Amino acid sequence: MGNDELTRIHELAKRVTLLEKMALRQQSRIDELVERLEEAERRAGTPPQRKEPPKAAADDPAEANAAAQRAVPSVSDLLDEEMKRDLSRAYTGAAASPVKPPEQPPQGKAMNAMERAAGSYARATGGKESTPSDRARQNEAARKKAAEAALDAIPVHELRERTPAERAADYIRDYNALYDVVGTMFQKKKAQDDFIKLYEVQGMRCTNMQLRLSRPELEPRFVAVTPTRDADFWGMPLGNGLFAVVPNPFLVYGEEMHTAGGMREAFNSNYRAGNTYGRFTVKETATFQFGTIGKVFKRGQVEVTV
């Protein structure tokens, strides 16, 4: 027998001793509780009720002894199955017979119940699945016809993705219409905000404008500006870093803006020196190429009025 088995036997022996002590402690606790109960009954003036064993059992000493042994739990009763197998393996060298798992109940009854339910359903429906009513079929057909009619009414060009040229044309049309909005200043401002939101407009401004006042030969460089309403140019993204650009409709277009602010490079126009303009009619958008710094990629065409 190896050292590991001896160590295991010693551990099991300690556990058995501990269980015996626990059993004795519980028995002492039970005796103490019985004594307290009897004391309480005596104080209350009620004689303690004791159950007398049957005379037949008292007359037979062997049977009384067996009953007493059954009443006191043995150490084996306090061991679980794993400890019993370990003890058997340690002392006899053979493992105790494993406990067989409970057998699964046959599923025939469950299947029979399902079959009976299916049969009842078939008898109730006459063996036919439920079908939608005539009114439901008519409503579905009417909805389908209305959807097809609405789809046919949509122009073909709206069912595909619009080209950059088509988007730029819409951009120009709605931009020029901003000057024709009637109503209060609040209503005009709301129309401009809706335009900015619809076309995802990005504000731009010439970043080297002050330097170009003394050196107008320098190429203008543009940066993004927020909020958009404070920018000099409004650009609609076309993709691939390109923007369709128009002047801010609030822009005051004078000599400084023409010479150094980028308007001269961005648009061909009817500008005349010495005049100041405040309204723009865009004929063709300018195209800016934008990364960290933007530059004019293609000139646009704009008509300015005072």
Side-chain angles (χ1 to χ4, degrees), residues 71-304:
V72 179
S74 65
V75 174
S76 178
D77 295 334
L78 299 175
L79 298 178
D80 56 14
E81 294 297 330
E82 182 181 359
M83 294 177 62
K84 290 179 181 179
R85 288 195 296 271
D86 292 339
L87 285 173
S88 176
R89 187 183 302 110
Y91 287 102
T92 64
S97 58
V99 179
K100 294 183 179 180
E103 296 181 357
Q104 296 291 337
Q107 299 183 359
K109 294 183 178 180
M111 294 300 294
N112 292 336
M114 294 177 63
E115 292 174 357
R116 288 196 299 271
S120 300
Y121 176 77
R123 287 192 298 272
T125 59
K128 298 180 180 180
E129 294 292 336
S130 59
T131 57
S133 63
D134 293 339
R135 181 177 295 275
R137 287 196 298 269
Q138 292 173 0
N139 292 339
E140 181 64 24
R143 284 194 296 269
K144 185 176 180 181
K145 186 176 181 180
E148 292 176 351
L151 186 62
D152 293 338
I154 300 176
V156 176
H157 67 274
E158 294 186 8
L159 297 178
R160 59 173 173 80
E161 185 176 359
R162 301 177 67 78
T163 64
E166 291 172 339
R167 294 171 56 207
D170 294 342
Y171 187 54
I172 293 172
R173 182 195 64 229
D174 292 345
Y175 171 84
N176 292 332
L178 290 175
Y179 292 100
D180 300 328
V181 175
V182 295
T184 63
M185 289 300 298
F186 175 79
Q187 291 171 327
K188 294 180 179 181
K189 179 180 179 299
K190 183 180 184 304
Q192 294 161 2
D193 291 339
D194 293 342
F195 175 84
I196 291 172
K197 183 178 180 180
L198 174 63
Y199 290 102
E200 300 177 350
V201 175
Q202 176 177 308
M204 304 174 186
R205 177 180 294 168
C206 181
T207 186
N208 58 345
M209 181 175 178
Q210 295 300 321
L211 182 60
R212 295 183 74 236
L213 288 173
S214 58
R215 300 178 60 187
E217 71 277 4
L218 294 177
E219 184 180 6
R221 292 288 183 264
F222 300 91
V223 293
V225 176
T226 54
T228 303
R229 297 175 64 86
D230 295 341
D232 294 334
F233 300 92
W234 286 3
M236 178 189 69
L238 297 174
N240 297 324
L242 298 178
F243 288 80
V245 178
V246 295
N248 185 335
F250 296 103
L251 180 67
V252 177
Y253 184 19
E255 183 176 356
E256 183 176 310
M257 192 67 198
H258 181 77
T259 303
M263 280 292 292
R264 175 167 54 97
E265 290 80 7
F267 295 97
N268 294 319
S269 69
N270 57 333
Y271 172 82
R272 294 294 179 267
N275 294 330
T276 301
Y277 302 92
R279 177 164 179 161
F280 309 91
T281 302
V282 176
K283 304 296 184 180
E284 182 181 357
T285 61
T287 304
F288 283 12
Q289 188 176 28
F290 224 88
T292 305
I293 298 294
K295 63 180 181 179
V296 177
F297 183 76
K298 179 184 176 183
R299 274 188 173 186
Q301 180 72 32
V302 66
E303 181 181 335
V304 295

